[in-house]
Amino acid sequence: MTTQSLSELRGPFDVLVVGGGITGAGVARDAARRGLNVLLVEQSDLASGTSSRSSKLVHGGLRYLEQGELSLVFEAVAERRVLLDIAPHLVRPLPFLLPVFSDSRRGMFTINIGMWLYDGLSLFRSPKLHKSLSRKRVRAAEPDLRHDGLKGAQVYYDCATDDARLTLETVLDAVRYGATVLTHTRVERWLTENGRVTGCALKDQLTDEEVEVSCTVAVNATGPWSDTVRGDGDAVSDPRMRPTKGVHIVVNASRLKLSHAVCCMHPDDGRVFFTIPWGDQTYIGTTDTDFEGDPGHVYADLSDVDYLLKATNDYFPGQDITHEDVISTWAGVRPLVGDEEAENESSVSREHSLVREPNGVVTIAGGKLTTYRKMAEEVVDLVVTELDAKGTSVDGLQASETETDPLPGAVGWPERGGKKQIVSAVQDFSEGLINKVTAKHLVSVLGMRAIDLAERVAADPDAAAPLVQGRPEILGQVDWAVSVELARTVTDVMMRRTQLYYRDDEQGIAAVQVVAGRMANHLGWSEDEAAAQAAAYLEEVERSRRWRSELTD
Ligand code: FAD
C-alpha cells in the first residue's frame, strides 16, 4: 500500500525505514518480503539523494582490486550476477576498455594478471571474459582515443544501470509485498520512552501535514545524512561519515562517440575516472573531494567541470570538448564510513557499517549501489533479532528470496534475446501509436511494464505525444509516473522518472509546462500550484548550471 495522506497512516509498524535511497529501498523490500509490516519514509523523492547521482555502474570495482579489497570485489561481482538476473532490463553488460600507454603505471602484462584475478573473483561468471587488444585493434575500436604512446588495451565487462530506477523498482516490489511508502515526508524527530526509540514524528514536506507513528524497530538508512538522523538533527560527538563529493558531466555522443566505457587516469593526480557511453549521450566522471554541508544541496562547481574536461581532452585530444558541450551535470555525496588512516578521499573504504545505536535504532551506512541487496539482507537479519528480543513473534516469517525473484519490470522478461519481441509487443499494444524508438526507450526503462503503459496509450491516444519534439519520452510517462511510480513533483518526473533533466540539450525546459499541467490533472493542483511546481524545477536547473556563472565572474 502507498498513501499520500498521513491521516490514513495505520501503525504501529514492525519496521520503520528512514531513507528512500537504494539502501532503504533494499531494506524495505527484504523486510516486506519476509512478511514484516514496513513503513518506508523518504524526505524528498525516492533516490533523490546519492542513489540517483552515482556513476550508474554495477561493478566489482577494479580500483578496489588495486587497493587489495578482495572481499569487497568478490561480494560485488557476485551481486552483479544477481542483479543481472533479477533486473535484466535495468542492469546491462557494458564493455570497458582500459588503455595502456608507454607511461602507464602498470604494463599490459600486470594488468592482464589483474584481469584474470577479476574474472576469477566472479568465478568466471562475468558477462564475458576479458581480452587483450593490440594497439591496432584499440585504434579500430575507439578511434578518438589518444594514440601517442598507446601500447594496447584490456577489454573487460561490468554492468551499467539506471540507479534511480533500480531504487524505484526495489521500492515497488516492497509495496507489492505490503510496505507502506511515504515520499516527500521527513522524519522530524524520534519519539522515545526510557531512552529507547518507539517511533517518530513525520511531516509531509508538500502539505505540512504532521503525524506521529510508532514502530518496534527503526532503521536509519539515510546515507550521507545518517549522522544528522543519529543525532536527531543535532551534531553527534562521534561522526561516522567521511562524505566525499563526486561530479559527472554529460555531453552529446556526437561530441564523444564511444563503443566502450573507457577507464582513464587523470593526468594531474592519477585518479581513475570513466567516460561512459549512455545512448545518445556520454557521461564522464567522477571527481572525489571531501564534502561538508547539506547533501541535499550539492552541485558541480567550475573546478569540477574543468577537472573532468582536462582529463577527457587528454584522452581524446582531437575532440576538443569545451564548456559549451556540457549539457548537464550531477553531483552526489558518497556516504563513506570514516577512516582516519586513509591517505586521501579515494582511499576511504567503500565497505558498509551496521550499528545498533544505544537508543535501539539500527544505522546502516556506506556500501555501494552494487551491493545493496546483500547489505539489506544483513540489516533485516539484525532487525529480526531485535524484534525477537522485543517479544514480536518472528516464527512465521518467510524467506525474502530477493536473490532470485525478479524486480517488477523483469517479471516475464524473456531468457535471452527476446527484447525485440517486447519492443514489437509495445508497439502492437499501443495500436501503432508508439513508434519503434519510443518503444525501445520504454522497454529499457520499464521492462515488461512497458506493455501496460502501451495499453494505456491505446486508451488515450494523446498520451503518445512526445514531451520534447524529437525525443522518445512521451506524455503517457507522466501519467504512469504519478499513478504507478510514486512521483509527486514535476522535478521527480523530469529528473528521475524521465531523465530529461540530464539528457535533453535544454534539460527538458520545453516540456515543463506540459508536465506540470498533466500532473495537475492527476493530483488536483490549482493553476498556482502547477506554476509553482514548474518554477521549482526551473530553479533546480538553474542551480545545476551555477558553475557556468563562474565562467563570467
Ligand atoms: P542515499 O541515496 O543518499 O539515500 C538516503 C536518503 O535518506 C536520501 O534520499 C535522503 O533524502 C533521505 N533522508 C535523509 N534524512 C531523512 C529524514 N530525516 N527523513 C526521511 N528521509 C531522509 N556505487 C556503485 O555500486 N556503483 C557506482 O558506480 C557508484 N558510483 C558512485 C559515484 C558517486 C559520485 C557517488 C557519490 C556514489 C557512487 N556509488 C556507486 C555509491 C552509491 O551511489 C551509494 O553507496 C548509494 O547510492 C548510497 O545509497 P543510500 O541509500 O545509502 O543513500
Side-chain angles (χ1 to χ4, degrees):
M1 172 184 97
T2 58
T3 170
Q4 298 303 1
S5 170
L6 293 192
S7 58
E8 291 171 16
L9 203 58
R10 295 283 168 263
F13 291 91
D14 295 327
V15 196
L16 161 69
V17 183
V18 190
I22 192 74
T23 308
V27 172
R29 175 178 185 235
D30 192 306
R33 292 181 69 107
R34 291 194 205 197
L36 294 169
N37 186 14
V38 177
L39 172 63
L40 173 70
V41 183
E42 163 55 48
Q43 66 180 356
S44 175
D45 185 24
L46 299 167
S48 57
T50 310
S51 298
S52 59
R53 296 154 187 274
S54 77
S55 299
K56 309 187 191 302
L57 301 179
V58 169
H59 64 157
L62 271 191
R63 184 146 51 93
Y64 313 127
L65 187 68
E66 202 180 9
Q67 291 166 352
E69 298 200 55
L70 295 191
S71 61
L72 185 59
V73 178
F74 182 72
E75 184 177 78
V77 289
E79 284 304 298
R80 183 183 66 189
R81 182 75 256 160
V82 170
L83 293 179
L84 266 168
D85 289 344
I86 67 166
H89 59 306
L90 290 177
V91 178
R92 303 181 189 99
L94 179 67
F96 282 68
L97 186 132
L98 174 53
V100 180
F101 296 94
S102 45
D103 59 352
S104 288
R105 223 166 41 207
R106 307 207 195 283
M108 286 287 280
F109 180 74
T110 317
I111 296 177
N112 194 17
I113 292 181
M115 291 295 166
W116 278 116
L117 182 57
Y118 198 53
D119 282 338
L121 284 168
S122 72
L123 309 176
F124 299 99
R125 292 184 70 217
S126 47
K128 278 188 188 173
L129 293 184
H130 82 277
K131 60 185 180 205
S132 301
L133 295 191
S134 65
R135 172 189 158 91
K136 195 168 155 201
R137 287 183 63 204
V138 180
R139 289 193 60 182
E142 292 298 349
D144 295 329
L145 184 67
R146 162 159 59 92
H147 40 263
D148 277 0
L150 181 67
K151 305 265 267 187
Q154 298 288 340
V155 171
Y156 66 97
Y157 284 78
D158 260 319
C159 293
T161 191
D162 175 338
D163 45 6
R165 284 208 161 263
L166 189 63
T167 306
L168 174 66
E169 286 218 12
T170 302
V171 171
L172 293 179
D173 199 49
V175 171
R176 202 166 117 214
Y177 281 82
T180 302
V181 177
L182 298 171
T183 63
H184 295 279
T185 303
R186 209 174 121 78
V187 169
E188 297 281 77
R189 60 178 191 285
W190 297 121
L191 306 177
T192 55
E193 267 174 38
N194 303 322
R196 315 283 298 170
V197 167
T198 55
C200 69
L202 299 173
K203 183 170 182 184
D204 187 313
Q205 303 299 292
L206 304 180
T207 63
D208 286 342
E209 204 181 346
E210 292 184 70
V211 79
E212 292 187 350
V213 67
S214 54
C215 65
T216 312
V217 178
V219 177
N220 172 5
T222 54
W225 286 264
S226 58
D227 281 333
T228 314
V229 172
R230 278 174 62 222
D232 221 358
D234 294 327
V236 283
S237 56
D238 59 338
R240 289 192 201 121
M241 292 284 99
R242 180 177 171 183
T244 73
K245 171 183 167 187
V247 169
H248 291 81
I249 59 175
V250 183
V251 299
N252 273 318
S254 54
R255 295 293 293 115
L256 186 60
K257 184 89 190 144
L258 301 172
S259 41
H260 303 75
V262 179
C263 180
C264 318
M265 314 280 162
H266 198 284
D268 289 349
D269 56 15
R271 274 198 59 255
V272 174
F273 73 99
F274 295 102
T275 51
I276 300 180
W278 201 33
D280 291 339
Q281 287 74 38
T282 298
Y283 63 88
I284 303 158
T286 172
T287 61
D288 198 354
T289 50
D290 271 328
F291 176 79
E292 276 178 32
D294 179 354
H297 290 94
V298 54
Y299 298 94
D301 296 322
L302 180 58
S303 58
D304 300 316
V305 175
D306 282 345
Y307 174 92
L308 294 172
L309 285 181
K310 178 175 182 184
T312 309
N313 285 321
D314 185 62
Y315 271 75
F316 302 92
Q319 296 313 103
D320 195 19
I321 312 279
T322 68
H323 295 125
E324 277 64 50
D325 292 312
V326 177
I327 57 175
S328 63
T329 62
W330 71 82
V333 180
R334 296 179 185 82
L336 301 182
V337 183
D339 178 356
E340 294 305 320
E341 307 286 301
E343 284 168 32
N344 55 42
E345 296 86 336
S346 291
S347 55
V348 177
S349 169
R350 262 63 176 169
E351 297 224 46
H352 63 269
S353 100
L354 174 60
V355 177
R356 190 176 155 281
E357 309 290 349
N359 62 5
V361 171
V362 171
T363 301
I364 172 72
K368 289 164 40 130
L369 190 80
T370 307
T371 49
Y372 86 94
R373 192 205 62 84
K374 190 82 189 142
M375 207 159 84
E377 204 171 72
E378 205 184 309
V379 174
V380 182
D381 285 346
L382 178 58
V383 166
V384 170
T385 309
E386 290 290 298
L387 288 168
D388 194 19
K390 289 181 172 180
T392 303
S393 168
V394 293
D395 291 343
L397 293 183
Q398 327 270 316
S400 68
E401 293 178 342
T402 57
E403 192 175 353
T404 47
D405 277 5
L407 290 183
V411 175
W413 187 260
E415 280 282 302
R416 238 166 226 283
K419 194 169 162 190
K420 270 192 188 157
Q421 280 103 295
I422 307 169
V423 170
S424 314
V426 167
Q427 289 184 270
D428 292 348
F429 275 93
S430 76
E431 295 174 4
L433 290 165
I434 293 179
N435 66 34
K436 193 167 178 184
V437 175
T438 290
K440 276 188 177 167
H441 163 72
L442 294 177
V443 172
S444 70
V445 296
L446 300 178
M448 294 301 289
R449 298 183 311 142
I451 293 176
D452 300 339
L453 174 51
E455 283 181 317
R456 289 179 176 218
V457 169
D460 175 10
D462 288 350
L467 285 172
V468 173
Q469 283 308 324
R471 292 203 51 86
E473 299 84 3
I474 55 170
L475 203 49
Q477 284 175 267
V478 179
D479 309 334
W480 181 263
V482 175
S483 59
V484 181
E485 297 188 328
L486 313 174
R488 290 183 73 194
T489 71
V490 166
T491 302
D492 298 348
V493 172
M494 299 296 290
M495 285 182 87
R496 289 167 293 271
R497 302 307 180 280
T498 69
Q499 292 177 328
L500 284 170
Y501 173 93
Y502 300 106
R503 290 182 182 263
D504 176 46
D505 284 353
E506 296 303 324
Q507 298 193 265
I509 288 174
V512 172
Q513 302 305 336
V514 174
V515 171
R518 192 83 173 187
M519 289 183 77
N521 292 341
H522 288 284
L523 297 169
W525 293 340
S526 66
E527 270 184 33
D528 284 353
E529 281 171 307
Q533 280 283 332
Y537 175 69
L538 296 176
E539 280 163 26
E540 183 60 31
V541 169
E542 260 331 290
R543 283 192 286 270
S544 77
R545 294 177 177 178
R546 191 179 62 183
W547 63 273
R548 288 189 185 280
S549 63
E550 292 178 55
L551 283 169
T552 49
D553 282 351

